[in-house]
Each structure stands twice: as C-alpha cells, then as structure tokens.
Amino acid sequence: MRIIRTEGRGSGWTRWAFSSRGLWLVWCGVILAVTTLPWTDFQGHAHWDSVRWIPFQDSSFSSTVSRMDILTNFLLFAPFGFLYAISRSALSWRGGLEIACVALVFSASVELYQVFTHGRIPSTTDLAVNTLGAISGALGGFRNLLRSRQLAAGISDHPAPLLRSAGDNQLGSA
C-alpha cells in the first residue's frame, strides 16, 4: 500500500489516514452494536453482583463457550487497534500506549454499559482480551506503516541481486 500525501488539513494527513479514520469510526460502531445488543435490555439500575471481577478466573478455558468468547473479543478489537494505528501514523511507544489506553477506556465503557443490562455479563476478562486484541492489531498496523514508509523511501526487504564484476561477460559466452 502506498501513502499519498495531500495538501491541506495539517501535516501528517494522508488519503489513507483519512480513509482509515473513517473505517476506524465505522468499526467502533460495529463494536458498540455487537457488544450492547439487545438495546431493549437496558435497565435503570446496576447489576454489580453479575460482574466477573477476577480476569481469566471466572470461566474455564476448557469450556467451548469461554474459548469462543475470548477469541471473539480478541478478533473484535484487533481491527480496532490496526485501524487506529494506521490512522494516527503513530510509530512510537507513545503511540502504542495511546492505542492501549483508548482500547482500555472504550472496552471499559462497553463493560460499564453491560452492568446495566440483564442479558449481558460484564467481565474483566473481556476488558483484558479486548485490550490485548487492540494491541495486537496495533502491532500489525505499525508493521504496515513501517513497510509503507520503507517502500516510499525505496527500501526493500528483498536482497539486491548480486552485482557482476566489470570483467564479467553479461551475455554468458566465454
């Protein structure tokens, strides 16, 4: 993928970054829709007794439902981290920390919403797995950004062909 710089709207804006910001916002909407359904189940009071406070202790890993829930949460937040990383063009530890914090706050917001529902069970396992999924996606985004910058600079991962010495016959005849 090639990064194409555009004029205006400040430094660092690219067509790809602009479109990835839009995709990131759409993905945030997907996460909200998936994690808060059904919307008719919202109650006016909290159900703190239904919160699973101890991460990875609240369910058995041998359970198919638990493994599927963990995998689903991870895969739901991996694109979140990937799209956030490439939209921010943040190739630094500070950018990685920012992504982790945004994912943690977003996930905590979803889990807090679930405290006020009967049909959903808020869990710190979900919070941890969502954040890990976003960090994993961000690492993929960082790799993509680094590769794009290398390609734009003309740097390749592939070794250059061996150079022939000046005395070698290029036609292969002796």
Side-chain angles (χ1 to χ4, degrees):
M1 173 177 24
R2 190 171 168 193
I3 296 177
I4 303 169
R5 299 251 177 231
T6 58
E7 296 294 323
R9 301 209 83 186
S11 65
W13 275 78
T14 62
R15 289 183 189 157
W16 172 244
F18 182 71
S19 65
S20 62
R21 281 189 180 108
L23 287 173
W24 179 75
L25 288 172
V26 168
W27 194 252
C28 287
V30 168
I31 291 173
L32 283 174
V34 168
T35 58
T36 59
L37 284 173
W39 296 318
T40 58
D41 198 25
F42 185 80
Q43 306 297 314
H45 56 280
H47 301 96
W48 294 107
D49 55 327
S50 69
V51 177
R52 295 181 178 166
W53 292 102
I54 302 172
F56 304 104
Q57 286 280 29
D58 52 332
S59 59
S60 169
F61 280 108
S62 62
S63 166
T64 304
V65 173
S66 176
R67 285 184 290 178
M68 197 59 151
D69 186 43
I70 288 171
L71 182 64
T72 303
N73 281 321
F74 187 87
L75 293 177
L76 191 62
F77 270 79
F80 176 92
F82 179 84
L83 291 170
Y84 192 85
I86 60 175
S87 70
R88 300 286 293 169
S89 297
L91 276 175
S92 67
W93 285 105
R94 184 176 178 216
L97 183 61
E98 178 182 328
I99 291 167
C101 289
V102 169
L104 183 67
V105 168
F106 188 59
S107 181
S109 301
V110 167
E111 297 300 316
L112 181 62
Y113 173 84
Q114 291 179 0
V115 168
F116 291 90
T117 64
H118 283 152
R120 304 301 297 237
I121 300 173
S123 167
T124 53
T125 300
D126 292 349
L127 192 65
V129 171
N130 292 346
T131 305
L132 290 173
I135 291 169
S136 174
L139 290 174
F142 290 155
R143 185 177 187 287
N144 188 0
L145 281 171
L146 186 60
R147 177 94 171 121
S148 296
R149 290 180 183 175
Q150 287 174 342
L151 290 174
I155 302 170
S156 175
D157 290 343
H158 303 293
L162 296 174
L163 297 175
R164 297 176 189 253
S165 65
D168 287 347
N169 186 346
Q170 296 201 7
L171 295 176
S173 59

